[in-house]
Every structure is written in structure tokens, then in C-alpha cells.
Amino acid sequence: MPDSQPQPPHSPSPSGPADRGPLLLSGARLTDGRTVDVRLHGGRIEAVGTAGSLTPARTTGSGTRVDLTGYLLLPAPAEPHVHGDTALTADLPGPVSYDPLDVQRRATEAVLLQLGHGATALRAHVRVGDVPGLGALTAVLRARRSLRGLAELTAVAMPRVLTGVAGADGLAMLRDAVKMGAEVVGGCPDLDPDPTGYVEAVLEVAAEHGCPVDLHTDAADPARLARLAVMAGGLRPGVTLGPCDGLGRLPADAASRAADQLAAAGVTVVCLPQGSCGAVGHRDGTAPVRLLRAAGVRVAAGSGALRDVSNPVGRGDPLEAAYLLASRHGLRPEDAYDAVSAAPRAALGLPEVRVEAGFPAELLAVRGDRLAGALSLAYSRVVVHRGRVVARTSAVREYGDSTTGKDLGLPRQGRGGHNGPGGPGGTS
């Protein structure tokens, strides 16, 4: 598959695709085995019918058709944990540049990379205070505006210290960040000399502005985690914690009690199966997913670091996160995919998506006919945001000239025959 650079939009449309005509996705396969046509209009799913039963538009003469024969159609993933201000810096010489233009360029490219994977909504954690000041946040907010109509990007303001004399500036900057446009209040209490005071300050600012809270913690201290759960319980519009990989290092009874406390508080846990991020010190960002789910905790999966010093090979691919949850943590493919789609959408305060009439047209088509296969070899993808195709990834697989596959009756993917557009051996 070619490693091409994502291209930013030349003229982003603030109004998005709501002004576009109807779009027909034809011949797509659903996870229940049906093959259907899906018509989109006005940013929503207008109709779902058996294959061949729908037309691109309710009236002839308008509308667009996309052939999804051979593709599995799914609700689009959502990305709950990225670091847009430091993404794509692993190979840069010297310290990370927080020049606003550099940050905006990196943040935009990172979103486009993840959009190509299927994530149509993303939550970016951005440092405020210290070296970046408010410049990195300003840059990410500019990237958000430039990407409107392609993907939904929200920003989490992350101050380093909020308590004591040293924290006064951080607290003032956190309030300024919310006024600037950061929709979520966050940070890393584990790095503050007074973690409990840090959480109190974050919750106070969130309550003042009616913002969600998203905190980085490894959750390795059961007593501290219990206090956090009590403080966060009932806060609306909600509290998210991650990556909480320290829970996996606790004794079984302590981890079970902590899971029960998080469930009672209504906290969402975002794990990072592809590796942790720079805000916490451990490489493995995966919490005990099955234990948390059994306790009733909503568990979502995020990407964490994207090619920065914390993970220089980070892919930012939600389907890889789902694959790892299934292959390493024993989740069913359906539950693993839920952790990168329905669960993070709920954590981000976004409406539910189903491939049914009336639901938002946030969709991902992946070549394959079963979810397990799609998570295994998710190469070719078509991404739909607000009823419009916003990204395509096409992979071509070529083999030497051989009759082996034909003799054994093996399936041949792609269009055309032996000498078709994929060259020798066909395409996929």
C-alpha cells in the first residue's frame, strides 16, 4: 500500500456536506450478514433497503452512487485520545517546536491520517502553560476550523501544575483556555505535587463552564483513585480517565474494588492498546479491559502517541486498537469494535450511530465480509462524514503469474480478471 501524505482541503466548507445532494452506498454488507443499499441525505441515513432497491435520490436526475460491493459497512470510529500538538515529531531534530504554525501543520496532518483510518471525530489533548503557553491550543483550534466538514475535532486543555504558588498561573491559563474554545478540561494529576488538589481545581473549572473532564492517570494508587471516583461521581457532562494501565499491576482484589468504584461514579476509561503517551510513564497503556467491562465501566480505546518520542511508530488506527483488544485481551470482535466506535462516541458526547434510517451518516466501509476479517486485514477503506465521502484508502495486492489460486478455487478480490487493473494476480 503506498505511503502517501494526506492532503489538506483546499477550500474547507464550514457548512459541511449538509448542502450536498443524496448519496447512495450500494451493495454494502452489514455485520448481520445482509447486503443492502444505504441512502444518505442531509448528514443522516435516509433509508436502508435490500441491495438494488434504492436509487441515489428520491427524484431522478440528482445524487451520487458509491459501489461498496465487497465492503463491510460499519458505524465510523471515534478517537478519544490523541496528542495533536506533539504528533509526528519523532524524527524531528532537537526539541519539539511549539511554534503555532508548526503545531497547526502537524495537528492537521495527524487528523487527516486518522480520518483516513476511519475516525470522523477526534479529541485532542493539548498542553497549556509552560513552554507552549496558549500557542499550541490556538494552533489546534485553527486546525479544527480548517478541518470542518471533514472531521470533528475537539480540544482538551492540559495544564501541568495547578496547586500551590506554582499552580496559580496554570489555573489562570486553564480558565483562559476554556474561554478560547477548549471544550474539555483535563490534565495529569499524577504530575502535580498535590494530585487531589489538582483534581479539585479541574472539577471546579469544569463545573464553572459546564465542560467535560478528561484526566491522564495510570491509576496505580488505589486510595487516590478511590478519592478521584468519589469526587467525579455524578459530574455532568461526564468524566473520562485514561490510560489506567496501573490497574493491571494491582492485586486482583484491589483492581476489582477500583473497577466497582469507577462504575459507580459513571467514569469512562480510555485505554491505549497501541502504546501509552508521554503524559504517563508506562509503555503499555492497556487497562484490564475485561475486568472493567465486567464491573460495568464504559471502556473506550484510543491511539495515544502518534509518531512522537513516546511511540515513534504509532499508527493512530482505531481498527488496530480493536484488533489488539480482540487478539491480546480476549474481547469478541464486536465488543472490540464497540470500544473504538460506540463507546468513544458516547464519551465524547456524540449521538449514537447505527446503520439504520434516521441515524447520523458517520460510516466506515472496510473491504471484507465479516468483522473479524476486517479487523485482521483492514486495508481498503471508504470514510463517510456527515453524509459525504471524505476519505478513501485503496490497497493493491499483486502476486506472480500463477494458476494456483484458480486451481484451488480461492476467492479473487478486486475488479477485472488476470490482466485487470491490479496487474498480475488481481487486486484487493
Side-chain angles (χ1 to χ4, degrees):
M1 182 167 55
D3 187 14
S4 59
Q5 293 295 316
Q7 299 299 312
H10 294 293
S11 56
S13 171
S15 61
D19 299 329
R20 311 274 176 148
L23 173 67
L24 179 67
L25 309 177
S26 66
R29 190 178 183 91
L30 303 183
T31 54
D32 61 10
R34 290 181 293 151
T35 300
V36 299
D37 291 346
V38 180
R39 188 168 62 219
L40 315 176
H41 186 63
R44 306 192 78 81
I45 299 173
E46 185 178 69
V48 178
T50 56
S53 67
L54 300 180
T55 59
R58 291 162 293 182
T59 59
T60 59
S62 63
T64 304
R65 178 178 177 272
V66 176
D67 184 3
L68 291 183
T69 301
Y71 282 78
L72 186 69
L73 188 62
L74 303 163
E79 172 53 70
H81 192 119
V82 294
H83 290 268
D85 52 347
T86 58
L88 309 175
T89 58
D91 296 329
L92 299 180
V96 173
S97 168
Y98 283 100
D99 178 85
L101 289 178
D102 291 339
V103 175
Q104 183 178 353
R105 185 193 70 253
R106 295 195 305 260
T108 301
E109 183 177 351
V111 170
L112 291 174
L113 282 169
Q114 296 189 265
L115 176 65
H117 293 319
T120 62
L122 306 94
R123 177 181 282 185
H125 298 250
V126 185
R127 285 180 60 188
V128 298
D130 300 325
V131 175
L134 292 171
L137 177 63
T138 299
V140 171
L141 295 178
R142 287 174 181 165
R144 178 183 68 183
R145 289 191 293 271
S146 73
L147 290 160
R148 193 169 297 150
L150 290 175
E152 302 295 333
L153 178 64
T154 59
V156 185
M158 288 186 54
R160 183 174 179 85
V161 178
L162 290 180
T163 65
V165 175
D169 288 344
L171 189 56
M173 199 160 290
L174 179 59
R175 288 190 165 95
D176 288 342
V178 176
K179 294 174 184 176
M180 286 174 55
E183 299 94 335
V184 187
V185 180
C188 189
D190 298 356
L191 300 180
D192 193 283
D194 179 5
T196 299
Y198 188 105
V199 174
E200 289 175 346
V202 166
L203 296 179
E204 179 182 346
V205 174
E208 289 174 3
H209 297 276
C211 294
V213 170
D214 197 326
L215 294 171
H216 290 58
T217 179
D218 66 0
D221 185 330
R224 183 187 302 171
L225 185 63
R227 288 193 297 271
L228 196 161
V230 170
M231 295 163 64
L235 183 72
R236 295 293 178 265
V239 176
T240 300
L241 301 179
C244 296
D245 53 312
L247 286 174
R249 300 189 297 274
L250 296 177
D253 57 342
S256 181
R257 284 195 302 272
D260 291 339
Q261 291 163 349
L262 293 174
V267 168
T268 296
V269 170
V270 172
C271 64
L272 304 176
Q274 297 167 93
S276 195
C277 61
V280 289
H282 301 283
R283 296 289 298 178
D284 183 3
T286 308
V289 174
R290 295 177 66 184
L291 171 68
L292 291 166
R293 285 173 53 89
V297 178
R298 178 192 291 139
V299 178
S303 296
L306 177 59
R307 300 185 202 169
D308 65 16
V309 293
S310 301
N311 185 3
V313 294
R315 295 182 184 176
D317 186 350
L319 296 195
E320 183 185 44
Y323 159 79
L324 291 170
L325 290 177
S327 65
R328 293 180 56 189
H329 298 275
L331 268 61
R332 298 185 310 126
E334 294 78 11
D335 294 333
Y337 191 76
D338 180 89
V340 300
S341 57
R345 283 189 67 86
L348 270 56
L350 299 171
E352 181 184 9
V353 174
R354 299 182 194 171
V355 188
E356 298 177 14
F359 283 86
E362 303 289 322
L363 302 169
L364 169 64
V366 184
R367 183 172 287 282
D369 59 359
R370 294 287 186 274
L371 186 56
L375 297 185
S376 303
L377 294 172
Y379 292 143
S380 298
R381 309 183 192 187
V382 179
V383 186
V384 174
H385 172 52
R386 296 183 63 192
R388 181 168 66 104
V389 174
V390 292
R392 294 175 186 261
T393 302
S394 298
V396 176
R397 187 186 298 124
E398 298 183 335
Y399 301 100
D401 191 4
S402 172
T403 60
T404 302
K406 182 177 180 181
D407 292 344
L408 295 176
L410 297 179
R412 293 172 62 84
Q413 295 181 344
R415 300 182 181 87
H418 185 72
N419 295 317
T427 64
S428 66

